[in-house]
Amino acid sequence: MKTYYKSIITSVFAAVLGISSMAAEQTNPTPYPLPASHAISTIDVANGLIERAYESVRENSPFAQFEEEDSSDDMQLIGEMTDYAAKYLGTRYRLGASGPKAFDCSGFIGYVFKKFGFNLSRTSRAQYTQGEKVNKSDLQPGDLLFFSSRSSGRGKVGHVAMVVDVKDDGSCTFIHASTKHGVTYQKFPDNGYYSRHFIGAKRIIGSTKA
């Protein structure tokens, strides 16, 4: 839906640019040469009109409003998900468990997302194929972080966690089912185990590939 709205807005902008090109070509409607200052003045006026047209489209387009509403809805959903996930802090880890009395890492993430209508694959490696790739510098709450593990081997996904908070400096806190502490919070980057084993991040909420 967002892509559809963006394509329409892009078409509107293209039409405005077409008008600007026509205006630039018709700055002298007479057969007589005009002073250079007149041509520059006419172009400046046309550019001003074009800029106001852009602003009008941005401010009044119902499609832009819909996108803002979608973003607001996503943030509300993410807040509910992180609060829900926190209810399971301290729940013990068990390999192959998918809750609610015990979880492994992918079982925990899948359990939380399913509560809110998202059906993720069962394993962390398969979950890594879902959603849209996110740069580490662009993380937001609700994103999934993937790491290698001792059992998966170097460079292969073996662990998954969900971002719950992002600081101004780009660091974040994630929640996950760890083998030692069960469901718990962890800072990232930690300049230790998780920094060394980080593989990538994916965005499920708001993604067209979810």
Side-chain angles (χ1 to χ4, degrees):
M1 188 64 72
K2 291 182 181 178
T3 303
Y4 172 72
Y5 294 148
K6 288 179 181 177
S7 66
I8 294 178
I9 294 172
T10 301
S11 298
V12 173
F13 284 169
V16 172
L17 287 173
I19 293 172
S20 69
S21 298
M22 293 173 62
E25 292 173 358
Q26 298 178 6
T27 54
N28 183 3
T30 73
Y32 306 104
L34 295 174
S37 60
H38 174 85
I40 294 173
S41 176
T42 303
I43 293 173
D44 287 344
V45 170
N47 287 338
L49 290 172
I50 293 165
E51 181 59 30
R52 284 196 291 274
Y54 274 115
E55 290 297 330
S56 179
V57 170
R58 284 192 291 262
E59 293 175 3
N60 301 310
S61 170
F63 307 119
Q65 180 181 353
F66 291 150
E67 288 197 350
E68 290 177 1
E69 291 176 354
D70 286 346
S71 177
S72 177
D73 290 344
D74 286 347
M75 294 310 295
Q76 180 178 346
L77 174 63
I78 291 167
E80 293 174 359
M81 290 180 69
T82 55
D83 288 345
Y84 181 75
K87 293 180 179 180
Y88 293 94
L89 286 168
T91 302
R92 67 190 181 94
Y93 178 94
R94 190 176 76 221
L95 183 63
S98 54
K101 295 182 178 181
F103 298 101
D104 64 11
C105 65
S106 55
F108 175 62
I109 296 301
Y111 185 86
V112 172
F113 272 72
K114 186 175 182 179
K115 172 70 176 180
F116 295 88
F118 297 89
N119 293 315
L120 299 186
S121 299
R122 180 60 187 87
T123 68
S124 58
R125 188 172 299 183
Q127 288 173 1
Y128 189 54
T129 67
Q130 297 177 269
E132 295 179 352
K133 186 176 180 179
V134 182
N135 291 327
K136 189 163 56 175
S137 58
D138 296 325
L139 292 174
Q140 68 181 31
D143 290 344
L144 300 183
L145 303 180
F146 294 87
F147 307 87
S148 62
S149 67
R150 293 181 179 89
S151 60
S152 69
R154 187 176 182 84
K156 296 180 180 180
V157 173
H159 190 67
V160 59
M162 180 176 72
V163 176
V164 297
D165 182 60
V166 179
K167 303 297 184 185
D168 291 339
D169 63 2
S171 64
C172 71
T173 300
F174 63 75
I175 191 170
H176 67 141
S178 72
T179 54
K180 291 184 178 181
H181 306 290
V183 177
T184 187
Y185 288 129
Q186 170 68 43
K187 299 292 185 182
F188 180 79
D190 64 342
N191 298 318
Y193 179 88
Y194 292 101
S195 292
R196 292 194 305 271
H197 290 78
F198 178 72
I199 290 181
K202 288 296 190 74
R203 181 163 297 158
I204 303 296
I205 303 169
S207 168
T208 58
K209 300 177 181 179

